[in-house]
Amino acid sequence: MTSPLTTGADARTRKGPGGVALSLALLPALAVVLILFGGGFALGIVQALGYLPGAGLGEWSLAHFARVLSDPDFLHSFLLTLYIAGASTVIAAGISIPAALGLASLSKRSRVIHFIFQMPLTVPHLVIAIAVMFMLAPAGLLSRAATGAGWIASPADFPLLINDAWGIGIILTYVWKEIPFITLMLLAVLRHTGRDLLDVGRTLKADAWQRFRYITLPIIFPALGAASLIVFAYTFGAFEVPFLLGQTYPMTLPVWAYKHYSDIDLMARPEGIATGIVIALVVMAAVILAQVLTKAARKRGLIA
Amino acid sequence: MGELDLKNLRIDYGARMIIRDFNLAVRNGEMMSLLGPSGAGKTTILKAIAGLLAPAAGDILIDGQSVRDVPPEKRDAVMVFQKPLLFPFMNVAQNIGFGLRMQGQPGREARRHIGAILALTQLEGLEHRKVHELSGGQQQRVALARALVLKPSVLLLDEPLSNLDANLRQRMRELIQTIQSETRMTMLFVTHDQSEALMISHRVALLLEGRLRQVGAPRELFYQPADPEVARFFGGRNFFQGHVRDGKLHSDLGVFPVGPQNGNGHVRTATIRPEDIRIAPRATGQSRGLRGRVVKTRFEGSSTRVVVACGANEVMVLTPEDAFRPGQEVEITVPPEKIRLFPGD
Ligand SMILES: Nc1ncnc2c1ncn2[C@@H]1O[C@H](COP(=O)(O)OP(=O)(O)OP(=O)(O)O)[C@@H](O)[C@H]1O
Ligand SMILES: [Mg+2]
């Protein structure tokens, strides 16, 4: 995952002759991205529109989109995915705000705390999902520990936390993984402008709550919005965590798309791709919105 | 009311003592400059008065009341920072109205106050601008307006003109002066620019390396500096030694009447300002001036700085005439009444 606060390099390099040279130098990399992503996307659209000659499907139509969108199971999946992504994002953001404020108020940067916060950023989601599985499964570490401690009579009494209807295992995985990401983004903003503006607020008679409400929140809002949208986009489109920790029905959209695409019935494949395109559209909308917020923040000098 | 009293203030950053034994009393309605070079501790003192830094020792009194235990938001002192530090997510009017809003002032009354301050700081028509659409000078004025609108007992200004060009600087300085004389607000104005301090304030306090060196009216600091370092800060360059005997200073530069003095016979330091020395090409006839030779010159526009070697001494002269060249033989005259003799120790 890349930080939207660092992807803006092009916006600054665009100015001046040096920027042009840099843009030219980036062209090959851009071309690769465009061909791979854009090409794949175009190919996907073509297939979703029913053009799959190898499978004897040669006609163009919106029928697959229509079938996907009118399928009640699709709606279930869509709502489940929305719920999981939304809940993960809201919980992670809710914890990140006090965490960032706490870190920013430390007079000296604590390396240990920073290390603890940076660590989850480097661990792949898949690894965390497997760790969560070992911890929270009905026969997992926590359940056995609770039994051993006498809190529950047998592992069977342990609440269902993975492959459960509420997606608790999935959400926990995402929350653990995304808190550091959001927190560090907020911390950067608070360090950049926060302290001085809070001092100004103090001499202008704002009490602690007013400083939080009228200075801190507006300062962090663009970064909080951008980071949350990125997290939302990621959790909406991610496959491996719900695949491992989710229940069999309803599935999240990415799992549903994968199931259809890899179905032995080739007729299901366009539907899988159509679903994938729906996911891609949601993700793209979130990312574009995140960029808009980042741009606004930069214009106001909230971030470098 | 707005009386500010700083008593035996000591301020530390960690183990480093930045300010020590600082005593200063600013009178109600006074415009006082806190003057000092970069790093002297001026901002540190203002932050302590505003409550953003806790002094290690000493006390701060506003209108006779100690404010040591009063948090910044409750102190009747508002600080304008070195940088404008406007709230980027608010427009001009919202920035100016911030303090009023925090105090729960109703919208209509607040708008009236904001309107009056906009006029006073010549910001009319800009109230709906976003702050990143303002020039540096406009931003400084918004920062000033944002503090003025609260009508604090004491206004603390931390080099509010430092980021402006010479023209705008003068206009803003006059603006602040006008506002001060109209509102009679007590102001502590920090600057590192000696001429700015002399122009703007009723009294000047000179801070060197965390210590208060002299407080007084502008002319007092300029013409009667307490010691050579103060004189040097105000552009004094010619320091020489001599001893006083029978009301006369005997020195390398000559013998000058200085009036009755204590400490007959002791070595004392004296100074004469470069602009007080008269310089002329050496005349052929008889003269009572000191003979010397021009070492170098520096053209400064309305005046020229000339360094003259007189025997073992180098004397700096500031003259309105751009008529001297290195190597030239000249004659300088030191008017005795312009000599400042520092008190002996
Ligand atoms: N947060 C800080 N931590 C440690 N030392 C500091 C801190 N802020 C300032 N200092 C030191 O305290 C001294 C006084 O700083 P201060 O900012 O008060 O100077 P100043 O007179 O305002 O200078 P300037 O005209 O450059 O603004 C300087 O030596 C500075 O290095
Ligand atoms: Mg300063």
Side-chain angles (χ1 to χ4, degrees):
Chain A
M1 204 186 303
T2 56
S3 143
L5 298 191
T6 53
T7 50
D10 57 337
R12 264 167 288 145
T13 48
R14 229 181 273 136
K15 296 173 202 137
V20 175
L22 198 70
S23 305
L24 282 179
L26 283 174
L27 216 54
L30 267 174
V32 170
V33 170
L34 280 179
I35 289 168
L36 281 184
F37 180 76
F41 196 67
L43 204 65
I45 289 183
V46 166
Q47 292 192 17
L49 291 174
Y51 190 73
L52 196 65
L57 302 170
E59 281 157 50
W60 297 87
S61 86
L62 282 169
H64 302 290
F65 273 106
R67 196 154 352 117
V68 165
L69 292 178
S70 60
D71 186 338
D73 281 354
F74 171 85
L75 190 67
H76 266 136
S77 283
F78 185 80
L79 291 178
L80 177 72
T81 315
L82 212 57
Y83 154 72
I84 287 177
S88 308
T89 306
V90 168
I91 294 172
I95 297 175
S96 295
I97 294 174
L101 291 177
L103 286 182
S105 71
L106 294 177
S107 55
K108 280 191 186 130
R109 292 174 183 228
S110 159
R111 284 206 189 165
V112 179
I113 293 180
H114 269 259
F115 178 74
I116 291 173
F117 265 84
Q118 272 160 358
M119 206 174 49
L121 289 175
T122 58
V123 183
H125 279 84
L126 194 60
V127 174
I128 301 169
I130 291 170
V132 164
M133 203 147 77
F134 273 113
M135 296 290 292
L136 300 184
L141 279 178
L142 274 185
S143 137
R144 271 186 252 172
T147 315
W151 293 336
I152 51 176
S154 79
D157 295 336
F158 194 70
L160 189 62
L161 295 179
I162 65 169
N163 310 116
D164 62 309
W166 292 101
I168 291 177
I170 305 173
I171 293 174
L172 279 180
T173 305
Y174 284 146
V175 166
W176 190 78
K177 171 87 177 152
E178 316 305 356
I179 283 176
F181 170 68
I182 304 181
T183 301
L184 293 177
M185 295 253 295
L186 298 186
L187 192 58
V189 179
L190 288 172
R191 287 246 163 84
H192 185 65
T193 47
R195 225 170 269 181
D196 285 348
L197 288 183
L198 286 175
D199 273 354
V200 171
R202 286 202 93 172
T203 83
L204 294 174
K205 313 290 169 235
D207 62 30
W209 161 250
Q210 289 174 321
R211 293 198 293 278
F212 175 73
R213 166 71 186 77
Y214 295 109
I215 301 176
T216 305
L217 275 189
I219 289 176
I220 61 174
F221 174 74
L224 181 66
S228 300
L229 281 165
I230 299 268
V231 165
F232 179 85
Y234 183 85
T235 48
F236 193 91
F239 163 79
E240 68 269 41
V241 178
F243 184 72
L244 283 172
L245 300 178
Q247 31 172 190
T248 36
Y249 179 87
M251 298 169 247
T252 68
L253 276 192
V255 179
W256 154 291
Y258 170 75
K259 284 273 161 63
H260 277 79
Y261 188 78
S262 56
D263 202 306
I264 31 170
D265 178 7
L266 280 181
M267 293 297 284
R269 180 173 279 205
E271 283 175 38
I273 293 176
T275 310
I277 284 167
V278 171
I279 296 171
L281 289 177
V282 171
V283 167
M284 276 195 288
V287 170
I288 288 170
L289 209 54
Q291 285 296 325
V292 170
L293 282 176
T294 309
K295 215 170 153 186
R298 186 170 297 121
K299 200 162 133 195
R300 293 168 176 203
L302 289 174
I303 50 178
Chain B
M1 281 291 280
E3 244 174 53
L4 177 68
D5 237 322
L6 309 177
K7 294 210 153 110
N8 297 315
L9 222 49
R10 198 187 96 210
I11 307 171
D12 303 340
Y13 276 125
R16 273 185 62 209
M17 201 192 292
I18 304 294
I19 303 293
R20 61 193 84 184
D21 304 328
F22 191 86
N23 285 284
L24 185 67
V26 187
R27 299 172 195 138
N28 184 26
E30 185 173 32
M31 174 69 143
M32 164 88 84
S33 289
L34 182 57
L35 174 65
S38 183
K42 306 180 296 291
T43 299
T44 305
I45 290 173
L46 284 203
K47 282 192 169 172
I49 300 171
L52 301 171
L53 273 179
D59 205 353
I60 297 164
L61 292 88
I62 296 177
D63 288 333
Q65 298 288 314
S66 169
V67 293
R68 275 205 70 155
D69 301 320
V70 180
E73 60 267 29
K74 300 246 165 66
R75 289 191 190 188
D76 204 4
V78 173
M79 178 162 172
V80 176
F81 291 75
Q82 215 158 344
K83 288 181 280 176
L85 294 177
L86 303 180
F87 299 117
F89 38 84
M90 296 178 190
N91 67 22
V92 169
Q94 288 165 332
N95 262 282
I96 296 177
F98 184 85
L100 298 175
R101 189 163 159 222
M102 295 304 109
Q103 292 178 319
Q105 186 160 129
R108 262 181 75 173
E109 213 170 309
R111 269 195 296 280
R112 197 168 47 79
H113 284 128
I114 294 168
I117 290 292
L118 281 167
L120 195 62
T121 49
Q122 298 163 17
L123 285 165
E124 288 137 312
L126 297 180
E127 47 267 54
H128 300 298
R129 283 274 187 94
K130 302 227 170 62
V131 297
H132 64 261
E133 297 165 349
L134 297 176
S135 75
Q138 289 165 338
Q139 292 189 14
Q140 293 273 22
R141 270 181 284 162
V142 175
L144 183 65
R146 185 171 65 171
L148 282 172
V149 77
L150 290 177
K151 303 200 168 65
S153 293
V154 179
L155 182 65
L156 308 165
L157 298 158
D158 194 357
E159 308 204 30
L161 313 181
S162 58
N163 295 322
L164 309 179
D165 68 49
N167 241 318
L168 199 57
R169 225 180 145 87
Q170 184 190 340
R171 296 222 318 266
M172 272 285 282
R173 190 178 58 234
E174 286 165 3
L175 177 69
I176 291 174
Q177 247 173 328
T178 311
I179 292 173
Q180 204 277 331
S181 62
E182 276 172 15
T183 59
R184 309 299 300 161
M185 196 182 280
T186 307
M187 293 190 188
L188 187 55
F189 181 98
V190 159
T191 176
H192 62 258
D193 182 334
Q194 44 123 342
S195 60
E196 195 167 278
L198 296 176
M199 278 187 272
I200 206 168
S201 39
H202 300 128
R203 284 194 303 155
V204 178
L206 180 65
L207 183 74
L208 296 176
E209 287 164 3
R211 281 178 193 276
L212 186 65
R213 299 301 285 267
Q214 193 174 354
V215 190
R219 284 181 179 76
E220 214 173 304
L221 267 81
F222 194 80
Y223 290 121
Q224 288 141 44
D227 57 52
E229 275 176 77
V230 175
R232 200 174 305 250
F233 190 81
F234 282 99
R237 286 296 171 273
N238 304 311
F239 298 92
F240 56 98
Q241 301 198 314
H243 44 262
V244 180
R245 219 180 301 123
D246 308 326
K248 289 201 171 77
L249 177 70
H250 298 257
S251 75
D252 292 350
L253 292 182
V255 179
F256 306 101
V258 288
Q261 295 273 336
N262 295 327
N264 243 357
H266 286 292
V267 174
R268 302 269 292 273
T269 303
T271 187
I272 172 101
R273 295 196 58 86
E275 63 271 26
D276 288 336
I277 302 176
R278 288 195 289 278
I279 180 170
R282 188 172 304 173
T284 37
Q286 182 76 354
S287 92
R288 278 177 292 133
L290 260 168
R291 295 168 160 240
R293 176 193 302 255
V294 175
V295 178
K296 58 184 174 195
T297 64
R298 197 173 79 204
F299 179 63
E300 291 182 359
S302 52
S303 57
T304 301
R305 223 165 256 278
V306 184
V307 178
V308 179
C310 296
N313 295 292
E314 283 202 342
V315 179
M316 183 177 283
V317 184
L318 200 59
T319 164
E321 281 158 69
D322 179 31
F324 303 95
R325 296 291 170 263
Q328 188 176 349
E329 301 287 336
V330 293
E331 220 171 72
I332 60 173
T333 319
V334 178
E337 71 279 9
K338 295 286 170 80
I339 289 174
R340 162 79 178 151
L341 192 58
F342 294 108
D345 22 28

